[in-house]
């Protein structure tokens, strides 16, 4: 039977995973398709290069939603259902897979945030400039260029769009990396607990004490009796 303190640890682990996954989901929602520059690049190709692209955003969304759904599945398997080896084994495998996934997420987004920070130090207050259809028609007329607004400034004799590094994106990506790191550690601990305490769950149910587990030995014995009976009938014939 599972000790009372083990039950509390299981519940606490599920709650911690849910809260951290919720934080990751919110950070992912805010960080998806974020631009590295403010305002965003508009040029074809450069707009994807200087932002979190759609494919990476979709991957982050899928990972965050899977992690958010995991605590509910774990609660159903461990707390609400009769113990089944197949479900429990799948739960261990899924927990281990999410552990590895969060490790890769942590490394990737940490490097992305670090890249923005280093680029900011390298630029030392300098900016990026882009010729676009809104600013460029003003040409060298600084007065008209200033009236256009929308970050239009005269640079190298032409009215261009001025862009600086987006510090908010750095914070968003750092938040994603932080939650991914915490989830990696949490999933590693939860997976270890699932493996270590598996033998307790063979004889314990959290909230289904009224449900009796099937006796596998009796089932095997009944099957053997059927084969014995059929063999006896065949022999008599």
């Amino acid at each position: 039977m599972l000790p009372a303190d083990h039950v509390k640890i299981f519940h606490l682990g599920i709650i911690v995973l849910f809260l951290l996954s919720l934080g990751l989901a919110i950070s992912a929602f805010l960080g998806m398709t974020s631009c590295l520059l403010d305002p965003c690049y508009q040029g074809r190709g450069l707009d994807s290069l200087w932002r979190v692209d759609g494919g990476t955003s979709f991957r982050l969304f899928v990972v965050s939603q899977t992690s958010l759904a995991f605590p509910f599945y774990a609660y159903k398997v461990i707390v609400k259902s009769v113990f089944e080896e197949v479900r429990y084994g799948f739960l261990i495998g899924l927990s281990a897979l999410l552990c590895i996934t969060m490790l890769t997420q942590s490394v990737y987004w940490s490097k992305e945030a670090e890249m923005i920070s280093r680029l900011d130090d390298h630029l030392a207050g300098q900016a990026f400039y882009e010729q676009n259809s809104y600013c460029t028609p003003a040409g060298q007329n600084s007065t008209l260029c200033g009236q256009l607004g929308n970050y239009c400034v005269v640079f190298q004799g032409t009215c261009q769009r001025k862009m600086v590094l987006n510090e908010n994106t750095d914070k968003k990506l750092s938040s994603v990396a932080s939650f991914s790191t915490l989830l990696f550690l949490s999933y590693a601990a939860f997976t270890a607990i699932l493996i270590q305490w598996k033998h307790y769950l063979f004889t314990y149910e959290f909230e289904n004490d009224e449900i009796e587990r099937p006796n596998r030995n009796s089932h095997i014995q009944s099957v053997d009796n059927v084969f014995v009976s059929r063999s006896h009938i065949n022999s008599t014939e």
Side-chain angles (χ1 to χ4, degrees):
M1 180 167 181
L2 195 65
D5 56 339
H6 288 35
V7 177
K8 293 180 180 179
I9 292 175
F10 263 127
H11 282 87
L12 179 62
I14 292 174
I15 293 174
V16 169
L17 287 176
F18 171 74
L19 293 178
L20 291 177
S21 298
L22 181 61
L24 177 63
I26 295 174
S27 299
F29 177 77
L30 296 176
M32 288 189 304
T33 66
S34 295
C35 296
L36 305 186
L37 299 178
D38 182 28
C40 300
Y41 249 118
Q42 293 182 340
R44 295 183 61 182
L46 292 175
D47 57 342
S48 298
L49 182 63
W50 287 93
R51 72 187 309 159
V52 181
D53 63 87
T56 304
S57 298
F58 178 74
R59 181 184 63 190
L60 178 60
F61 172 78
V62 171
V63 170
S64 63
Q65 295 303 308
T66 303
S67 181
L68 188 61
F70 177 84
F72 294 97
Y73 179 72
Y75 183 79
K76 179 180 179 180
V77 172
I78 299 175
V79 179
K80 288 294 185 180
S81 302
V82 177
F83 178 82
E84 293 184 12
E85 292 184 2
V86 175
R87 289 184 180 179
Y88 195 79
F90 180 77
L91 181 66
I92 294 176
L94 182 58
S95 180
L97 179 61
L98 284 172
C99 176
I100 298 174
T101 302
M102 290 304 167
L103 175 60
T104 60
Q105 289 283 109
S106 174
V107 173
Y108 177 81
W109 293 109
S110 295
K111 288 299 181 180
E112 288 292 304
E114 183 182 2
M115 181 268 293
I116 299 176
S117 179
R118 289 186 176 183
L119 187 58
D120 189 20
D121 296 337
H122 175 72
L123 291 174
Q126 299 182 49
F128 293 85
Y129 298 88
E130 177 189 31
Q131 296 185 12
N132 62 4
S133 58
Y134 186 82
C135 299
T136 303
Q140 300 179 1
N141 191 330
S142 58
T143 302
L144 178 59
C145 183
Q147 292 176 351
L148 291 176
N150 196 27
Y151 302 94
C152 294
V153 296
V154 175
F155 178 72
Q156 294 181 345
T158 306
C159 185
Q160 302 186 38
R161 194 162 175 257
K162 181 181 178 180
M163 298 167 290
V164 297
L165 281 178
N166 192 340
E167 297 181 356
N168 290 329
T169 299
D170 185 13
K171 297 177 181 178
K172 294 174 184 178
L173 301 188
S174 297
S175 177
V176 172
S178 299
F179 278 111
S180 297
T181 302
L182 293 175
L183 280 168
F184 159 67
L185 298 174
S186 299
Y187 276 117
F190 195 74
T191 303
I193 291 175
L194 289 175
I195 296 174
Q196 185 68 23
W197 292 349
K198 176 183 177 181
H199 62 282
Y200 286 113
L201 296 174
F202 276 102
T203 56
Y204 184 79
E205 297 171 3
F206 283 85
E207 295 182 358
N208 296 300
D209 292 335
E210 73 280 4
I211 302 177
E212 296 183 358
R213 303 186 192 285
N215 190 328
R216 295 187 175 183
N217 293 330
S218 62
H219 175 70
I220 295 174
Q221 184 68 31
S222 62
V223 173
D224 291 341
N225 292 336
V226 171
F227 280 108
V228 171
S229 300
R230 289 182 178 179
S231 300
H232 178 72
I233 293 173
N234 293 333
S235 61
T236 56
E237 291 178 352

